[in-house]
Amino acid sequence: MQLLSPQIGAQISGLDLSRLDQYQMTWLRGALLRHQVLFFRAQALSSISLQQLGLGLAGAPYRHPLFSPNTSEGVGYELDSRQGVHQSAHWHPDVPFAATLPAVSIVQGVSVPDLGGDGVWVNTAGGYLSLPLKWQYLVQQLAGIHRREFVQAGRIHSALHPLVHQHPETGAYHLLLGEFLTSLHGLESTTAASLLNELQASVLLPEYQVRWQWRNDDLVICDNRATMHRTEADYGGAIRHLRWLPCGHYQPQALKPKASGFEALLAFKPAH
């Protein structure tokens, strides 16, 4: 195992993900909890092996509320630029606009550019821990509305989630932010926008990020409860085809309120 940054990400070699025994699967789950994102080269897994890996890590495949599975096996999603499907260049966790999020996302490189289209992930615990204590109390009591509109189908999905949630396995506190977070429940829009900008800046410090240059047959496993991610949109008209299998379900839970947080909320002033 090679650590790719002090805060997030590890590359693992010498492990065949299509032939994991129970001990190896347990070790892999522990590594994912420790490093949030795991990277592998040369893992040309079949769809069956990919599903077995997801089951062992987090549970049954997650069904997206807006899109139907479009793989030939009916499980998972083809993200193919030739079909007009591009991963977002903006920071986000997977599917925060649903009542439950996938716990883990597995992404396989099918056909990727030689240059460009890198993936970038960030550990969302780091930004929370870097906040002054009074701001930690503040954000623990707030909830955000995550919203996505699917124009082609005329459908909108939205969900209310706590701004801070506790990882159910590690116990770490993470911020739940990203491009789909449109407002904060109970806060005036200007105040909410200013606060969200400050929180996003605290999370997106370089020391909490890891970057991956994709190759064909790469495989990335991401803890969606602990991270956000984005794609560099610098590959022009090159083909970029990834296969995405979200798995497991996770419903973020609000933390127990602390009285001093109300003082912080009253003291917060938007930046001008």
Side-chain angles (χ1 to χ4, degrees):
M1 180 188 294
Q2 177 186 357
L3 299 186
L4 301 183
S5 81
Q7 298 289 340
I8 179 174
Q11 182 176 350
I12 298 176
S13 304
L15 195 62
D16 184 351
L17 295 177
S18 67
R19 299 174 177 271
L20 297 179
D21 59 29
Q22 185 175 356
Y23 171 81
Q24 291 171 322
M25 184 66 76
T26 300
W27 180 88
L28 190 65
R29 290 185 72 251
L32 181 62
L33 293 176
R34 286 192 300 275
H35 304 294
Q36 294 89 49
V37 192
L38 303 178
F39 301 92
F40 303 83
R41 299 287 191 194
Q43 297 281 342
L45 269 64
S46 68
S47 294
I48 292 176
S49 294
L50 204 62
Q51 292 177 49
Q52 290 175 339
L53 177 62
L55 283 170
L57 287 171
Y62 176 95
R63 191 173 184 87
H64 198 287
L66 292 175
F67 310 113
S68 297
N70 61 353
T71 62
S72 58
E73 296 79 12
V75 177
Y77 304 85
E78 304 286 0
L79 309 177
D80 191 340
S81 61
R82 291 167 294 187
Q83 300 174 2
V85 181
H86 300 269
Q87 287 186 296
S88 177
H90 303 287
W91 290 104
H92 64 283
D94 284 330
V95 206
F97 42 83
T100 61
L101 290 65
V104 170
S105 282
I106 303 172
V107 186
Q108 187 176 37
V110 180
S111 180
V112 298
D114 292 332
L115 289 174
D118 290 1
V120 192
W121 288 260
V122 65
N123 178 350
T124 54
Y128 174 78
L129 292 174
S130 69
L131 294 172
L133 189 59
K134 65 178 182 178
W135 300 127
Q136 291 184 18
Y137 289 151
L138 163 62
V139 296
Q140 284 180 18
Q141 297 175 78
L142 297 177
I145 299 171
H146 301 255
R147 182 179 184 274
R148 182 171 184 182
E149 182 176 1
F150 186 27
V151 178
Q152 294 91 326
R155 296 164 62 191
I156 298 174
H157 260 265
S158 64
L160 181 69
H161 293 302
L163 204 54
V164 182
H165 61 107
Q166 187 172 24
H167 194 290
E169 296 187 79
T170 68
Y173 289 178
H174 291 268
L175 289 165
L176 186 53
L177 303 171
E179 66 169 316
F180 300 113
L181 178 52
T182 58
S183 60
L184 292 178
H185 182 67
L187 281 191
E188 186 270 332
S189 60
T190 302
T191 301
S194 181
L195 177 58
L196 289 175
N197 286 337
E198 292 193 26
L199 293 176
Q200 192 89 340
S202 74
V203 168
L204 298 182
L205 295 175
E207 55 263 38
Y208 304 137
Q209 298 184 30
V210 64
R211 175 182 292 265
W212 184 251
Q213 184 176 354
W214 284 94
R215 298 178 190 169
N216 291 351
D217 294 331
D218 281 359
L219 191 135
V220 176
I221 304 172
C222 163
D223 187 341
N224 194 48
R225 302 161 295 185
T227 60
M228 294 192 297
H229 59 277
R230 67 179 184 87
T231 295
E232 293 286 7
D234 58 354
Y235 51 97
I239 295 171
R240 190 175 188 273
H241 178 192
L242 303 178
R243 184 169 293 122
W244 171 46
L245 178 66
C247 47
H249 290 78
Y250 171 61
Q251 184 172 10
Q253 299 294 323
L255 305 181
K256 185 178 179 180
K258 294 185 167 113
S260 52
F262 292 107
E263 298 172 6
L265 179 58
L266 292 172
F268 179 77
K269 304 295 182 184
H272 296 287

